[in-house]
Amino acid sequence: MRLSEKGDERVRAVFELSAAPEHELFTLSDPERVVVDLADTALELDSLPRGGLVRRIRTGRQGDGTLRVVLDLKKAADTRSFVIGPGGGRGHRLVVDLLPQDGDGRRVVHSAADRERQVVVAIDAGHGGVDPGAIGANGTHEKDVVLAVARRLASILEDKPHLKPVLIREGDYYIGLRDRTRKADRQGADIFLSLHADASESSRVDGASVYALSLDGASSEQARMLARQGNAPDFISEISLQGRDPELQTVLLELSRGSTIETSLEMGNHLLTKLDLHADLLHGRVHQAGFAVLKSLDMPSVLIELGFITNPREERRLKDPNYQYKLAAGIASGVSEYARENLLPDLRQASGSREHVVHRGETLSGIARRYDVSTEKLRSANDLSGDRINAGAKLTIP
């Protein structure tokens, strides 16, 4: 087990495990504690770390043999947890994040829901300026096609409630890969979409596709080739990702990438379903590859290939404003659906009451603060005797 401080008193506890963990996470008050129960687990440590919000860490065994790890906190904190599978020469990892609260009992690091329930969508039109991207047989430049679709996508998203589009590239100029992600971070983006048009040595290959980041290698030969093509342009402006950004030097590009990849794949599935209504698909599922433009992002992020510009039929379609609008509409629909289900508060009206679906890593106290109700009222409304809740459970919000 190790702790790492993330700034603003945020703390990440990482449990290195030999197998997929069966665990429970919950919080206790007076004094403030975070409890992690691990079944069939032994802790191999001479001393337990501490720092940031964590005043000390204690361990013990429950009657059934479960290992209990108690993190005594300096003050109240929200928690989240996720599991990363084996990869990069490492085994399973359980990650527990502690998120500090301000004086009013709310998180310092605000979610999209806290920002007046508005989700910021960063739309990155690939290439630009001196980098035309792929070029079709009739001279169509990838950079022009993706910018046109990006503008149409932004226009559609502007009309959707709770969504705020941000164009990373607004004209025909080049932006380095890291500068693209920096702009998304500065704008407070919750979602990152990188738009591209594909290329192949064969003019017969066609179809749109969606890719998420991979830490353990590409999921197909096409994905490997795209990653090589997509990462190369960063050296046009003499920006070397290697050695420039410490985040990109870590073995797993920060452990949070595991959670980000999971959410990116989920969002990608929403996008594929909607794109399939308007375009031919190259793949029936989201593929993965090591795209540099996605590696520095701590948000759901995908790279969308709108089609093969090297296919004459698809090149004509990609130049057609009506088809560009259809592609943008499909992407907008997928993004809206994903945001509504995952990033916006899960509120439903049921007999005049609100309902929340518990997601993995959430705590009862955190949900109570999210809806500005007391933990006691939340327990009473749901006939709960304690603070333990299971992912997938539906809670009535009083």
Side-chain angles (χ1 to χ4, degrees):
M1 177 186 179
R2 58 187 175 85
L3 291 181
S4 61
E5 297 180 47
K6 310 291 287 184
D8 295 327
E9 292 187 304
R10 285 179 291 170
V11 171
R12 168 163 290 169
V14 181
F15 297 81
E16 303 275 356
L17 302 164
S18 59
E22 180 181 336
H23 77 286
E24 282 191 80
L25 172 71
F26 57 96
T27 60
L28 298 172
S29 301
D30 298 324
E32 301 294 338
R33 289 154 288 165
V34 173
V35 180
V36 184
D37 284 345
L38 295 157
D40 302 319
T41 302
L43 190 63
E44 298 178 358
L45 269 183
D46 295 329
S47 61
L48 292 167
R50 61 182 178 180
L53 283 168
V54 180
R55 182 164 52 85
R56 66 171 178 169
I57 300 177
R58 298 175 286 121
T59 64
R61 289 283 175 189
Q62 300 298 96
D64 60 358
T66 296
L67 172 67
R68 170 160 290 183
V69 181
V70 180
L71 287 75
D72 292 322
L73 305 183
K74 298 175 182 177
K75 59 183 180 180
D78 284 333
T79 62
R80 69 174 183 181
S81 68
F82 56 91
V83 176
I84 302 176
R90 303 171 72 174
H92 291 82
R93 278 139 293 161
L94 169 63
V95 181
V96 178
D97 281 338
L98 308 181
L99 309 168
Q101 302 168 1
D102 61 21
D104 295 323
R106 298 186 181 276
R107 281 177 49 179
V108 173
V109 183
H110 298 290
S111 67
D114 297 325
R115 292 194 300 273
E116 297 181 354
R117 301 173 66 183
Q118 188 175 56
V119 174
V120 179
V121 183
I123 307 167
D124 177 32
H127 308 281
V130 296
D131 174 24
I135 301 175
N138 294 314
T140 306
H141 287 187
E142 177 184 359
K143 66 176 183 178
D144 298 326
V145 168
V146 296
L147 181 59
V149 174
R151 287 170 171 166
R152 286 177 167 79
L153 175 57
S155 178
I156 295 171
L157 291 180
E158 283 175 351
D159 294 331
K160 290 185 176 292
H162 312 311
L163 295 181
K164 177 186 176 182
V166 172
L167 284 172
I168 299 300
R169 177 168 72 86
E170 301 180 64
D172 186 17
Y173 48 84
Y174 180 78
I175 306 179
L177 297 181
R178 187 63 184 111
D179 290 330
R180 296 172 190 262
T181 58
R182 284 196 184 101
K183 183 172 181 179
D185 287 334
R186 286 197 303 268
Q187 295 291 333
D190 301 290
I191 288 173
F192 186 88
L193 307 173
S194 184
L195 304 185
H196 290 260
D198 225 332
S200 173
E201 294 180 357
S202 172
S203 61
R204 297 181 180 180
V205 182
D206 67 352
S209 50
V210 178
Y211 293 86
L213 179 65
S214 170
L215 301 181
D216 301 317
S219 55
S220 69
E221 181 57 37
Q222 181 69 24
R224 281 188 286 273
M225 183 177 70
L226 281 173
R228 289 194 297 270
Q229 294 172 350
N231 295 340
D234 198 52
F235 294 94
I236 291 177
S237 58
E238 297 183 352
I239 298 174
S240 173
L241 290 173
Q242 189 67 33
R244 181 178 177 89
D245 188 342
E247 286 183 342
L248 301 182
Q249 295 179 11
T250 58
V251 176
L252 290 177
L253 308 165
E254 292 279 356
L255 286 170
S256 60
R257 299 299 177 267
S259 177
T260 302
I261 289 173
E262 181 180 325
T263 57
S264 297
L265 289 169
E266 183 177 354
M267 182 172 69
N269 285 324
H270 284 272
L271 293 172
L272 271 181
T273 300
K274 302 302 181 182
L275 278 173
D276 194 24
L277 302 175
H278 305 286
D280 298 326
L281 297 182
L282 176 65
H283 304 299
R285 64 182 180 89
V286 181
H287 276 239
Q288 294 177 262
F291 294 105
V293 74
L294 304 182
K295 288 183 179 179
S296 302
L297 295 164
D298 232 347
M299 66 191 78
S301 314
V302 295
L303 187 144
I304 304 169
E305 295 285 355
L306 301 172
F308 280 80
I309 204 167
T310 47
N311 178 294
R313 181 183 68 90
E314 206 148 58
E315 180 185 7
R316 289 192 297 271
R317 296 174 77 187
L318 289 171
K319 289 174 61 179
D320 181 356
N322 291 326
Y323 185 66
Q324 291 173 354
Y325 180 84
K326 289 180 180 179
L327 289 172
I331 295 170
S333 179
V335 167
S336 179
E337 183 178 83
Y338 173 80
R340 185 173 62 252
E341 294 182 9
N342 296 275
L343 299 180
L344 296 171
D346 191 359
L347 298 174
R348 295 183 179 92
Q349 296 300 323
S351 302
S353 64
R354 297 174 293 177
E355 193 175 84
H356 175 87
V357 178
V358 178
H359 296 286
R360 188 173 63 184
E362 288 188 310
T363 62
L364 194 69
S365 60
I367 295 170
R369 281 186 287 271
R370 178 175 179 177
Y371 293 100
D372 197 26
V373 299
S374 69
T375 305
E376 290 74 18
K377 286 184 178 179
L378 194 55
R379 285 197 204 99
S380 176
N382 293 277
D383 296 323
L384 298 175
S385 58
D387 287 351
R388 297 194 183 192
I389 49 177
N390 298 318
K394 293 182 179 180
L395 297 179
T396 298
I397 309 299

